[in-house]
Amino acid sequence: MLIRIRRAWDQLREGEATPESVFLDRRRLMKLAMAGTALAVAGCDDAVSGDVSAAPGAASGATAAPDPSAHLYPAKRNEAFTLDRAVTDEQWASTYNNFYEFGTHKQIWAHADKLQVRPWEVVIDGMVAKPLRLAVDDLLSRVSLEERLYRHRCVEAWSMAVPWTGFPLRDLLAMAEPQAGARYVRFETFNNPDVASGQRQPFYPWPYVEGLTMEEAANDLAFMVTGVYGKPAAPQFGAPLRLALPWKYGFKSIKSIVRITLTDSRPVNFWQDLSPDEYGFWANVNPQVPHPRWSQAYERVLGTDDRRPTLLFNGYGEQVAGLYKGLENEALYM
Ligand code: MTE
């Protein structure tokens, strides 16, 4: 059993590749130990080489078969979504991925191409008038793609700036006609341990699940991503369909979605299920609220030497602060 626990005062080293931390609570560790499970706990602060020069074709989004949606890219940029910094170099963004289905290491780009992203269907069900099962290319023919430049902030205090292509989440939900009683949206990733070796680790609560309130899902910033850097998303980015929620910590931006369920009960997400003392439902970025083991006051801008002060809601407060009025008693920032 390998258990790696960092002390709160340990500093992340510059240039380390840092997937999301998983630090299991004591009770869960005991349970796992009693079950005799081999446990490899890897975190955002695990030291992994940040050498992106070694990355081959994965960085360019190359996949074996031509992507049937390639002609839709590049989409027109929506200039309403601008940045206060340079776009992160594509090599960095495409080789510095978190996708626990394919492991806890930083070679995700080399493993995720096992994921067949066609054919691919997404189901929208639950509290909707018109439940849907949509092939992703049919879906793409029903929406209007645009490019948006978004900041992307990991809970582990690194950040990127990414040109995502996609369409507003609310457009997708509208197709299924939400019922009045729906309060939350639950998202689910594929579950295929034959393809995704990480899903053979039984102590993780697969499949990866995330959730939003209906109000959050209707916000203009909530974006369904199908492409990045002007072309269809490569598998390591969460092809063919993922979320981008730039005011929240990165773990909320679930990849490779297969099911979207409208419900009246609050979903428990993947990280919250594993470590509820450290990860919650809301996960809004806030420099004043430290993670239990490290500060969120600053962020390291990947691919640069910049260390910047973290902004409340990652700088998107004007668009989203109103969503949280009256919810001050909730754990909004974990
Ligand atoms: N979605 C799934 N299905 N599995 C994951 O492990 N990791 C999350 C999120 N979405 C994850 C996921 C985390 S922790 C982060 S920080 C972002 O994806 C990383 O997105 P990126 O690799 O495109 O930077």
Side-chain angles (χ1 to χ4, degrees):
M1 178 185 287
L2 166 67
I3 302 169
R4 179 179 172 152
I5 305 217
R6 281 258 186 144
R7 292 159 304 190
W9 54 88
D10 285 347
Q11 288 297 307
L12 302 180
R13 273 171 284 154
E14 203 64 45
E16 282 182 346
T18 52
E20 218 60 76
S21 275
V22 189
F23 289 89
L24 305 180
D25 64 59
R26 200 177 287 268
R27 195 158 38 93
R28 191 171 172 94
L29 282 174
M30 288 301 292
K31 223 164 71 183
L32 292 169
M34 285 189 311
T37 316
L39 177 66
V41 178
C44 266
D45 47 357
D46 271 349
V48 186
S49 164
D51 176 14
V52 296
S53 60
S60 66
T63 49
D67 188 300
S69 66
H71 64 285
L72 299 174
Y73 301 87
K76 192 171 177 335
R77 180 172 294 174
N78 184 337
E79 300 294 345
F81 301 92
T82 55
L83 288 173
D84 57 350
R85 61 194 70 181
V87 167
T88 299
D89 187 274
E90 185 182 354
Q91 283 278 18
W92 266 101
S94 57
T95 56
Y96 199 85
N97 306 98
N98 292 341
F99 204 168
Y100 276 74
E101 285 82 345
F102 294 97
T104 57
H105 48 71
K106 289 316 268 190
Q107 304 300 312
I108 295 302
W109 57 267
H111 295 263
D113 62 357
K114 294 196 189 79
L115 184 64
Q116 295 296 316
V117 298
R118 293 294 189 289
W120 191 279
E121 286 185 335
V122 59
V123 168
I124 310 181
D125 63 4
M127 299 178 74
V128 292
K130 273 195 188 163
L132 291 174
R133 176 181 289 271
L134 280 171
V136 73
D137 292 302
D138 292 342
L139 168 60
L140 285 169
S141 71
R142 292 172 65 173
V143 295
S144 174
L145 294 184
E146 64 185 49
E147 184 178 75
R148 297 182 177 188
L149 305 183
Y150 272 3
R151 293 185 289 279
H152 176 39
R153 172 62 157 76
C154 178
V155 72
E156 284 281 357
W158 56 258
S159 68
M160 297 192 205
V162 185
W164 301 116
T165 303
F167 57 93
L169 169 61
R170 61 171 177 243
D171 292 356
L172 181 56
L173 300 185
M175 288 179 202
E177 299 181 10
Q179 291 173 359
R183 294 183 57 209
Y184 298 95
V185 191
R186 179 186 184 277
F187 302 86
E188 191 177 301
T189 299
F190 69 89
N191 194 7
N192 186 352
D194 291 341
V195 166
S197 60
Q199 292 184 326
R200 289 176 220 147
Q201 309 290 345
F203 41 83
Y204 288 109
W206 306 115
Y208 198 101
V209 164
E210 260 306 338
L212 292 174
T213 63
M214 285 296 287
E215 292 75 22
E216 290 177 317
N219 188 271
D220 200 24
L221 285 174
F223 200 49
M224 291 298 321
V225 168
T226 58
V228 60
Y229 291 96
K231 56 200 164 199
Q236 70 266 30
F237 282 110
L241 203 60
R242 71 170 284 175
L243 266 181
L245 304 165
W247 73 100
K248 293 179 176 286
Y249 291 116
F251 66 86
K252 297 291 295 181
S253 292
I254 183 173
K255 297 181 170 184
S256 301
I257 295 165
V258 295
R259 183 176 292 272
I260 300 175
T261 306
L262 275 60
T263 164
D264 55 5
S265 57
R266 187 179 291 183
V268 174
N269 66 46
F270 181 84
W271 296 108
Q272 192 183 10
D273 192 352
L274 269 171
S275 190
D277 296 339
E278 299 194 317
Y279 304 101
F281 171 76
W282 300 96
N284 296 309
V285 175
N286 188 337
Q288 308 292 331
V289 180
H291 184 278
R293 288 175 295 104
W294 60 84
S295 165
Q296 295 290 15
Y298 288 88
E299 65 195 45
R300 293 179 305 119
V301 183
L302 289 184
T304 77
D305 294 330
D306 285 1
R307 188 168 170 269
R308 289 175 172 248
T310 301
L311 299 173
L312 182 62
F313 296 115
N314 201 22
Y316 294 98
E318 206 177 305
Q319 293 95 320
V320 299
L323 293 170
Y324 305 105
K325 294 264 154 57
L327 293 173
E328 289 77 12
N329 292 331
E330 296 271 344
L332 293 174
Y333 304 107
M334 66 171 276

